[in-house]
Amino acid sequence: MTHTTTQAPAPADAGPGAWSPGGVRIEVTEVSRAAGGRRVLDGVTLSVRPGQVVVIVGLSGAGKTTLLSLMAGFTTPSEGEVRHDGGPIAAGASVGYVPQDDIVHRELPLARTLAYAARLRLPVGTEIEPVVAKVLAELDLERCAGTRIGALSGGERKRASIGTELLTRPRAFFLDEPTSGLDPATAAELMGTLRDLADGGATVVLTSHSPSDVRHCDTVIVLNAGRLAYAGPPEEVCAHFGVFSMEEVYLRLGGAVPDGDRTADAVPCTERACDGRRPQAPPPAGRHPGVFRQWALLSRRNLDILRRNRLTLAILAGSPLMVLGMFALLFRPGAFDPADPSPSATVQILFWIAFGGFFFGLTYGLLQICTELPVLRRERFVGLKAGPYVLAKVTVLLPLLLVVDAAMLAVLGALDRLPDGDAVMYAELFTTLVLSSAAALALGLLVSASVSDPSQAALALPMACFPQVLFVGAILPVPLMATGGQVMSLALSNRWAFEALGHSAQVERLWAEGASPLGPPLLMSYGDSFARPLVVDWALLGLFTVGLLLITRFTVARRSAA
Ligand SMILES: Nc1ncnc2c1ncn2[C@@H]1O[C@H](COP(=O)(O)OP(=O)(O)OP(=O)(O)O)[C@@H](O)[C@H]1O
Ligand SMILES: [Mg+2]
């Protein structure tokens, strides 16, 4: 099915929609989508012309979000096909997708958020400030430019999400329930903005639960349990269902309703939808940011977000301080003194230092990805690579861990809780600790990429920690473990960190030659656990880090894919 549109002469007044090079024609043919073992969308066929505002309505669970993301190319159909302008959907700038969740970080001011989004999405060398200023003006958000996103009202925040999409001047806009939670006036204002975009030539498709949104649209698509129940002009929807109001249409849904006997292409194109083209500026062209630039940009944004999140910073800095205080209270000084050693205390001190390095690494990484999945998904859709994304997390967090590990060793050394070693020994202890923290950070990032929200990440914390306590060799030396435990210990980074620390602290010599009678039996039970060359332990910790980061990268790619 084809549609022809006529290009009207450009009016002098170029309003908010003055940018689009013409919208996208969308054709949905016999599209079905299976999820959770059933068809959540079933044989939907419709087409949408450029310049239209189309609203998808239906009861909760009818398949509105599913259809919207299929039309945008955000997900792929199980059967049938979706075409844009008669061809396959091209990922990138021609499509703007605003999911129901915010796709903006709450910590940053609005203008800065838009500037980061613009740098990620627009070609290298584009002058960013004018682009951001224009979008702020178009969405009537100029007075909020310096306001933190988290402090914006719901409607302003929704417009901020739309703003990130507007930056690239997409030819088609898809919005999932943009008016939900807004008061009627703000909702009408937002619908007016969308109307302006369509008048500029863009194709606008949204889902909604609000009967009043329907009035602002050219076409209404009604879904009933995954099937198309109506597609046509808003004025005729009530007559189609034999009712008098949109509310009654909802009441009819779920019961027996006429099935798919209208399609959107049967709708005559309204004057405004087809003839309202404005002067068109081409979307910015040029080379888009490569992986190195993406990494640098995301690292800067991560640092910016962290710097502004005072509570998170306080927790990140405060928890090591608390743990250090507890170590100082728990362990008496001089446990490593050869004249009066405490072999069992030395095991515990070394283990808890190793576990401290692990725990801080793990917790630093744990909330990094699951808290920004909607942003990540959206940015991946416009070309962000998973590798630079994961590396940018490490770039910002690893230096913090370096400081924490150094502080832990410096304080414990000053308080006489560590052996009386030279700079080389301290350098070795520090290297081990940093490598252990890096492996744990990678594990934290992997867990964060695998779960769906922070509460699941919090539940995963004990699961990640318990084995690193039980099977490391501090509670029970590895040679004394059951075979299963010994095999398990091989896979735990903390074991190799603990044994490397023991190697550098020369516990074997202390236990063999120190004054305590407990030393030799302890040495017997540990066998040659601490005899391994340090480089082997370090190489293993490095392998854990690289391996876990690679798995995280693939997990991020998989979780953020269609
Ligand atoms: N990944 C999935 N696994 C299982 N079921 C799914 C999945 N995705 C969607 N569904 C189911 O498909 C149906 C349609 O989901 P969809 O999100 O499209 O509904 P909706 O019309 O947008 O609902 P709402 O108005 O509540 O947002 C729902 O019953 C939902 O539970
Ligand atoms: Mg939905």
Side-chain angles (χ1 to χ4, degrees), residues 64-66 100 176-177 207 209:
K64 301 181 294 296
T65 301
T66 307
Q100 215 178 338
D176 200 4
E177 296 192 30
T207 66
H209 278 298

